[in-house]
Amino acid sequence: MVKKSMKQPTIEIKHLVKTYGMVTAVRDVSFTVGEGEIFGLIGPDGAGKTSIIRILVSLLHADSGEALVQGKSVDGAIAYVRAHVGYMPQRFSLYPDLTVEENIDFFGDLFAVPASLQKTRKEKLYDFSKLGPFKKRRAGALSGGMKQKLALSCMLMHEPKVVVLDEPTFGVDPVSREEFWNILKQLSANGTSILVTTAYMDEARLCDRVGLIFEGSLLAVDTPEHLVNTFPTPIYRLSGSAPHVLYEALAQTPLKNRISLFGDGVHILDTQGEGPEALRRQISDIDAPWDALEPIAAGMEDLFLSLMKE
Amino acid sequence: MKQILWSISKKEFRHIFRDVQTLMIVLAYPVVMLFLFGYAITMEMKEIETVLVDRSHTPESRDFKEGLLATSFFKIVKTDIPQNQFETIFQERQARCIIVIPADFARSLHTQPRTKIQLLVDASDPNAANYIQNYITQISAKYNYRINPELAMPFSIEPRLFYNPDLKSYYFFVPGLIAVIILLISALLTSIAIVREKEVGTLEQILVSPVHPVQIIIGKAIPYTVIGFVDSVLVLIMGHFLFEVPVHGSLVLLAFSLLLYILTGLSFGLLVSTITNSQQEAMMATLMATILPTIMLSGFIFPIKSMPAVFQYMAMLIPATHFLEIIRGILLKGSTAQDLVVQLIYLGGIALTLILVSIRKFRMTLE
């Protein structure tokens, strides 16, 4: 499952720092993405994901540190980076009044893809994205998922070996998200290096490696399996019909710094290793109904929330 | 290089033709403006509501009255009202002037060295008041000359009006209108076209491509140059056939100066787009910076030579100032390139400066 990282990583981020006035958006972030690897940068809104991505694609300048693509510094080789990296911004960035085909053609021209190549690549991308039947439709009339696939197709017209996507599945329905990730998997199988950001924790397991980022700092970098399996703290789930009521009640107890609200109940971190009986005693007098307290395996979100609290 | 320019222009043309509403506005606006200025807003006056009070009732006074009514300039709405109603007439805006021929008019005319006729004018519109006063002075001069031909004036001025002998105001307005409309359209469309891409986020995609900013700018400018040109030809054709504005000079020179002027507008729009971030901002900035100075300071309506020195210098920085001299020269006087070389250099200089500044300011990053 885990691909060996190559001698020369495709993307290298080295001690990146970025400030906007008084606000520090990126604090000394370093990581690498290997050839054919899908690297997920995972964190909530405002964590600094977009700033890192924009520095990498030469749209912003870092205060210090550097970003390298295929061994070339972004600052020193802007032209090279722009010609060899495929970038998909956070917002839908296509022309809504142009058709699917016109959008793809335009980006083909923009990246100086020869006309003869454009035809075959376009057919390939239609196949890939299943957008073929909609090629005469205006981009503005597409569904959210199709828009994202179109944006991806446009960006793949010049067949970049390095692909950078900023929250590509944001606001997209689950079925389309699944499809979108399948396309990314195919790309990576063909040797394309992919850096993708997301705020959806469940997408972490789809990446080869993930970096968890919060308030500009990288908290952990590893494969998703390893991160979750080596989570040191036992976790218990306190379930009930109204988890938010439970959460409010627990917030009044000494456990208040160790609880997180989930859809299926409140997750409690057993940081002291007290065991279920000790926990049960501590919650016995809370003023809210609950059904069960049971140990569960840590998920990516548990990991993230516990790292955030540290 | 060629492929990408064409590709960007093609895309821009598609945006224009698919936005039917804007396209209609762009094409209809100049036509509507021309009609407004040509037919409705003229400086010429006629049928001035007038009250005539003849206290003399003599053949002499009737003779004078006939002189007044010989043209359609005055329209008599009331006659012989008592003095105490004069003010009411003005306040109720029944008339704009009152002419009073005194009771001793005929007698005085034959016995006195000077005879007076009273003219009361509502000067709340000073231009009109001036006009009325001049007109009646001319009429009375004619009358004097008719009844007293031997009383020759020591000298008289015999005016001959060149280039616009009938003083038609649309000779003046049509070129001015072209100056305003072209600047507005070329600057507005360009700035909005670029800022829209900023706003929607598509500029981010274009910026990360290997395309050079100059290519983006030129590619985007081509369609708007074409539209600006079509618009100005439209106004010129209408001006020529509907309002009989002559074209005495060379059409080639005219086309060249039009292109140069459109280029100035485009580069101004470009500059606006580099410093604004939303379509509204861009629109406001362009409207403020084009329409007002072009109408007020370029000599479109008010003569530059009579402005305070500061404004005269400012007028030199306004592209329309030079373009107006060029286009009026070509259309009305048949001026040649040699006659207009200073204006052409000014215009080219302004365009070049604006382009250089905006290319420098057109950032390839988001900072």
Side-chain angles (χ1 to χ4, degrees):
Chain A
M1 183 72 204
V2 182
K3 289 175 188 109
K4 284 230 163 89
S5 73
M6 299 286 130
K7 247 193 175 157
Q8 172 74 13
T10 318
I11 299 173
E12 292 169 84
I13 302 289
K14 290 180 176 171
H15 304 290
L16 225 49
V17 175
K18 175 72 191 172
T19 55
Y20 300 103
M22 299 292 286
V23 183
T24 306
V26 180
R27 300 163 198 267
D28 194 22
V29 167
S30 304
F31 62 89
T32 61
V33 182
E35 197 183 322
E37 186 179 39
I38 302 182
F39 187 97
L41 206 53
I42 302 194
D45 284 353
K49 304 188 297 282
T50 299
S51 294
I52 295 174
I53 296 276
R54 284 184 169 167
I55 292 169
L56 179 63
V57 297
S58 76
L59 284 173
L60 288 181
H61 293 294
D63 293 1
S64 64
E66 65 172 344
L68 295 102
V69 172
Q70 292 171 332
K72 292 187 170 61
S73 161
V74 172
D75 273 339
I78 287 194
Y80 180 86
V81 169
R82 289 188 171 175
H84 291 81
V85 173
Y87 166 55
M88 188 170 146
Q90 198 165 15
R91 291 183 292 167
F92 174 67
S93 291
L94 297 172
Y95 301 98
D97 52 338
L98 299 188
T99 65
V100 167
E101 186 166 27
E102 287 163 350
N103 266 298
I104 294 181
D105 287 344
F106 178 64
F107 280 92
D109 289 344
L110 210 55
F111 283 87
V113 179
S116 52
L117 267 177
Q118 282 197 22
K119 244 184 123 66
T120 52
R121 283 193 192 168
K122 207 158 61 179
E123 291 309 318
K124 216 166 89 185
L125 286 169
Y126 284 152
D127 240 31
F128 209 44
S129 60
K130 304 190 180 69
L131 282 172
F134 306 102
K135 63 182 177 189
K136 296 278 175 231
R137 190 181 285 191
R138 298 217 177 152
L142 296 175
S143 72
M146 286 202 279
K147 276 181 185 166
Q148 292 308 84
K149 282 194 288 190
L150 174 58
L152 186 67
S153 304
C154 288
M155 169 252 234
L156 293 175
M157 266 306 268
H158 67 297
E159 298 199 330
K161 297 303 282 176
V162 182
V163 165
V164 179
L165 308 111
D166 197 2
E167 301 206 1
T169 54
F170 180 75
V172 172
D173 67 275
V175 178
S176 302
R177 267 167 66 187
E178 181 89 33
E179 265 179 38
F180 194 87
W181 274 93
N182 285 338
I183 297 178
L184 294 189
K185 286 279 183 200
Q186 284 183 54
L187 283 175
S188 101
N190 293 333
T192 307
S193 309
I194 299 173
L195 173 61
V196 56
T197 72
T198 180
Y200 297 123
M201 297 291 163
D202 57 329
E203 288 184 343
R205 67 184 162 81
L206 300 168
C207 303
D208 295 324
R209 282 194 308 142
V210 294
L212 302 183
I213 184 167
F214 180 66
E215 290 186 345
S217 302
L218 208 53
L219 305 177
V221 179
D222 212 328
T223 63
E225 295 80 10
H226 194 252
L227 275 177
V228 173
N229 293 342
T230 56
F231 191 66
T233 320
I235 297 181
Y236 294 88
R237 179 178 61 207
L238 185 65
S239 52
S241 52
H244 61 280
V245 180
L246 267 178
Y247 181 83
E248 294 296 324
L250 288 168
Q252 310 298 321
T253 70
L255 290 170
K256 64 171 185 272
N257 292 322
R258 292 151 55 189
I259 55 169
S260 313
L261 178 61
F262 280 76
D264 59 353
V266 177
H267 292 192
I268 304 172
L269 293 173
D270 187 9
T271 40
Q272 263 89 51
E274 298 158 291
E277 288 316 312
L279 284 176
R280 204 160 271 148
R281 270 198 302 283
Q282 291 187 63
I283 59 175
S284 59
D285 57 341
I286 63 163
D287 186 22
W290 53 276
D291 303 334
L293 181 76
E294 54 207 337
I296 52 163
M300 190 55 71
E301 205 160 349
D302 294 304
L303 170 67
F304 198 90
L305 290 168
S306 84
L307 285 172
M308 265 170 57
K309 283 178 180 144
E310 272 171 23
Chain B
M1 173 79 191
K2 248 196 192 148
Q3 189 197 355
I4 188 63
L5 276 187
W6 168 234
S7 187
I8 294 177
S9 302
K10 191 169 65 181
K11 175 186 89 65
E12 214 61 37
F13 269 122
R14 282 183 173 140
H15 290 318
I16 296 167
F17 289 122
R18 288 189 190 165
D19 186 0
V20 180
Q21 232 174 333
T22 308
L23 187 66
M24 290 310 290
I25 292 173
V26 167
L27 292 178
Y29 181 73
V31 177
V32 172
M33 286 278 274
L34 191 67
F35 270 96
L36 265 181
F37 275 92
Y39 286 121
I41 312 169
T42 61
M43 294 275 218
E44 288 147 34
M45 292 171 66
K46 52 184 178 183
E47 304 205 329
I48 303 292
E49 298 86 352
T50 307
V51 172
L52 190 64
V53 182
D54 183 0
R55 299 215 171 106
S56 170
H57 289 292
T58 53
E60 286 83 356
S61 73
R62 200 175 321 128
D63 197 19
F64 180 76
K65 260 160 43 183
E66 267 155 25
L68 280 182
L69 298 174
T71 66
S72 59
F73 190 82
F74 293 109
K75 181 181 150 202
I76 307 296
V77 290
K78 263 193 179 156
T79 48
D80 296 346
I81 53 165
Q83 178 126 26
N84 58 17
Q85 280 180 25
F86 286 1
E87 188 128 20
T88 330
I89 290 282
F90 284 148
Q91 273 171 356
E92 291 173 359
R93 287 190 292 167
Q94 295 183 38
R96 292 211 254 181
C97 69
I98 301 171
I99 300 165
V100 186
I101 303 172
D104 62 348
F105 179 69
R107 190 162 36 91
S108 164
L109 212 54
H110 296 297
T111 57
Q112 303 292 314
R114 294 181 68 84
T115 301
K116 287 179 179 170
I117 280 186
Q118 191 182 28
L119 171 68
L120 299 129
V121 187
D122 172 4
S124 50
D125 176 355
N127 261 333
N130 218 339
Y131 216 71
I132 294 168
Q133 195 190 340
N134 284 339
Y135 201 86
I136 206 149
T137 309
Q138 278 180 36
I139 288 176
S140 41
K142 262 188 196 157
Y143 178 79
N144 276 332
Y145 187 72
R146 203 169 65 238
I147 61 161
N148 253 335
E150 68 277 13
L151 195 80
M153 297 263 182
F155 71 88
S156 68
I157 291 168
E158 192 71 12
R160 208 190 132 201
L161 302 168
F162 271 67
Y163 309 125
N164 185 3
D166 299 335
L167 289 175
K168 285 184 187 155
S169 60
Y170 23 84
Y171 277 29
F172 204 62
F173 277 127
V174 171
L177 212 53
I178 293 176
V180 176
I181 291 171
I182 296 181
L183 188 69
L184 183 68
I185 285 182
S186 52
L188 197 64
L189 292 182
T190 316
S191 66
I192 286 181
I194 294 179
V195 171
R196 185 177 50 212
E197 298 223 16
K198 247 193 219 180
E199 214 176 57
V200 178
T202 40
L203 197 64
E204 209 173 320
Q205 279 281 20
I206 295 185
L207 288 182
V208 296
S209 73
V211 176
H212 196 272
V214 175
Q215 289 174 309
I216 300 176
I217 288 168
I218 295 177
K220 273 189 158 297
I222 292 172
Y224 296 106
T225 312
V226 173
I227 290 200
F229 200 76
V230 168
D231 260 348
S232 34
V233 170
L234 205 67
V235 175
L236 271 176
I237 289 176
M238 282 182 52
H240 186 66
F241 291 103
L242 278 178
F243 299 106
E244 288 152 3
V245 175
V247 184
H248 288 307
S250 141
L251 281 176
V252 178
L253 183 62
L254 185 62
F256 172 77
S257 351
L258 271 174
L259 277 177
L260 192 62
Y261 186 59
I262 292 170
L263 204 64
T264 331
L266 287 173
S267 39
F268 181 74
L270 206 60
L271 185 64
V272 170
S273 73
T274 60
I275 51 179
T276 53
N277 287 310
S278 74
Q279 292 185 59
Q280 268 98 336
E281 263 175 55
M283 201 185 301
M284 286 308 289
T286 319
L287 285 177
M288 295 280 272
T290 55
I291 290 201
L292 217 59
T294 304
I295 291 183
M296 296 298 184
L297 293 177
S298 70
F300 174 26
I301 296 177
F302 309 111
I304 296 172
K305 286 285 184 294
S306 54
M307 292 175 190
V310 188
F311 290 112
Q312 290 197 30
Y313 287 121
M314 277 171 68
M316 289 297 113
L317 298 175
I318 294 168
T321 306
H322 310 291
F323 179 70
L324 272 175
E325 284 189 38
I326 294 171
I327 191 171
R328 280 179 184 153
I330 296 174
L331 292 182
L332 307 180
K333 299 188 213 167
S335 305
T336 60
Q338 276 114 324
D339 303 329
L340 300 168
V341 72
V342 177
Q343 284 78 18
L344 287 168
I345 288 173
Y346 257 114
L347 204 55
I350 294 174
L352 195 69
T353 315
L354 284 173
I355 288 178
L356 288 179
V357 170
S358 44
I359 286 181
R360 270 196 71 97
K361 289 211 73 160
F362 190 85
R363 284 150 297 181
M364 284 305 277
T365 59
L366 293 172
E367 277 167 308

